[in-house]
Amino acid sequence: MKTRLRLGSRLVAATLVVAAFLLCLQLLHPSPVVVSVSGSSSETTRLPGFFAYRDVGVVLVTSFVLGACSTYLFLDWRAETERSPAEDDAEPTSKQLEVEDEPGSVTISDELLERRHREWDTIAPKLSQAERDIYEQILGADGVLEQRLIVAQTDHSKATVSRKLDRLEGKDLVERRRRGMGKVVFLR
């Protein structure tokens, strides 16, 4: 996500430079104004301080692009500087996973993970053997695991894993979200 923002900022900065160059070029070199001297002949003359409609259009468009790019870069810089330095240096206390269909990320806190480990003795008797196998795989993966990896790490078929995950979701123990072509399972 940060890479996309950096690439976007660089693209906006490049657009800003091009717009500023075009604006300066247009202001320094206006188009010649054609002044008709007689009925059959015309003379091209540069009149100082006068611009053709095309010049005015170029100036307006480049000024708008220049202002929009400058505003975007300023707001991006301001958002970056408002983050506290402690946020950059702190060790992460939770496992995060980017989910493509939603902005942001799914966060599994260490507290939830520890609570689910403590509750395991009370949860396990209520689950079937297949549900226990799947739930243990998710717990062992720090609370987040792709559904295809659950199938690969257990002896259960795709259909069984899918049905058992439906049941675990019904018991409000896990949740599934789309990620690309597959799904990601995480603790609730």
Side-chain angles (χ1 to χ4, degrees):
M1 185 74 171
K2 286 185 180 182
T3 305
R4 286 184 187 172
L5 288 176
R6 294 283 175 232
L7 183 60
S9 295
R10 289 180 183 157
L11 182 63
V12 169
T15 306
L16 180 91
V17 169
V18 170
F21 176 75
L22 289 175
L23 181 62
C24 290
L25 187 66
Q26 193 64 48
L27 290 174
L28 292 174
H29 302 288
S31 298
V33 176
V34 176
V35 177
S36 186
V37 175
S38 66
S40 63
S41 65
S42 63
E43 183 180 330
T44 303
T45 313
R46 284 189 189 261
L47 298 175
F50 291 99
F51 290 95
Y53 289 122
R54 185 183 69 81
D55 297 333
V56 173
V58 169
V59 168
L60 286 175
V61 169
T62 55
S63 297
F64 176 76
V65 170
L66 194 64
C69 291
S70 299
T71 302
Y72 174 81
L73 289 174
F74 173 74
L75 293 175
D76 185 47
W77 168 78
R78 188 170 174 196
E80 187 70 27
T81 56
E82 286 179 355
R83 284 189 13 206
S84 66
E87 290 177 8
D88 295 334
D89 299 335
E91 289 187 25
T93 58
S94 60
K95 184 171 185 167
Q96 292 186 345
L97 177 71
E98 293 294 325
V99 178
E100 291 180 5
D101 65 344
E102 290 187 10
S105 61
V106 175
T107 304
I108 305 299
S109 67
D110 292 336
E111 296 165 7
L112 174 65
L113 194 57
E114 283 185 38
R115 189 173 71 231
R116 292 295 188 196
H117 277 289
R118 286 191 307 262
E119 294 172 350
W120 175 244
D121 293 331
T122 58
I123 294 173
K126 299 175 186 175
L127 303 176
S128 69
Q129 182 60 44
E131 291 171 342
R132 268 184 264 159
D133 293 343
I134 293 168
Y135 195 75
E136 283 176 338
Q137 290 294 324
I138 299 167
L139 276 176
D142 293 333
V144 179
L145 190 60
E146 292 181 27
Q147 187 169 336
R148 67 178 179 81
L149 293 178
I150 295 171
V151 173
Q153 294 172 358
T154 61
D155 294 331
H156 305 295
S157 67
K158 288 181 183 180
T160 302
V161 169
S162 183
R163 277 194 314 272
K164 299 306 177 182
L165 285 171
D166 286 340
R167 295 200 57 192
L168 289 171
E169 277 185 303
K171 294 176 182 178
D172 206 29
L173 294 173
V174 299
E175 186 176 331
R176 284 184 283 190
R177 297 239 178 114
R178 270 229 168 275
R179 182 176 172 203
M181 296 292 288
K183 292 184 179 179
V184 174
V185 183
F186 59 93
L187 294 178
R188 296 259 323 155

